[in-house]
Amino acid sequence: ESFFEAKKRAKQIADKIESILQNSGRLVLVGHGFINIFIKKEFLKRNWSVYDKKYGNKYLKKLIIMNPTKRSS
């Protein structure tokens, strides 16, 4: 897939994640490589808090995405 297509797909994924998080508050997402970076950037653009933590190797990372309206709860 092209760079443009990957960014477009990340936006679509972020839309779906945002909808789920607005309703349930929790979601586990497993992704790989650049798509995780694009998803993180999309949420930062939307003013969400995003924290990431690397694990044992360079390919595994956990993203914590927090709704800006629910940060204090």
Side-chain angles (χ1 to χ4, degrees), residues 8-22 39 42-43 46 48:
K8 182 179 175 183
R9 186 164 58 100
K11 183 180 182 321
Q12 293 169 340
I13 293 167
D15 290 342
K16 182 67 174 175
I17 292 170
E18 189 171 38
S19 174
I20 291 168
L21 291 176
Q22 300 260 349
I39 291 169
E42 186 63 37
F43 274 100
R46 297 174 187 207
W48 285 59

Side-chain angles (χ1 to χ4, degrees), residues 49-62:
S49 296
V50 182
Y51 306 94
D52 56 6
K53 180 177 180 177
K54 293 181 182 180
Y55 286 97
N57 65 49
K58 64 182 178 179
Y59 301 109
L60 187 59
K61 186 184 286 188
K62 173 174 78 172

Side-chain angles (χ1 to χ4, degrees), residues 16-42:
K16 182 67 174 175
I17 292 170
E18 189 171 38
S19 174
I20 291 168
L21 291 176
Q22 300 260 349
N23 295 318
S24 70
R26 292 179 182 236
L27 172 73
V28 174
L29 176 70
V30 178
H32 184 269
F34 283 107
I35 198 68
N36 290 342
I37 294 168
F38 295 149
I39 291 169
K40 178 181 177 179
K41 287 182 179 183
E42 186 63 37

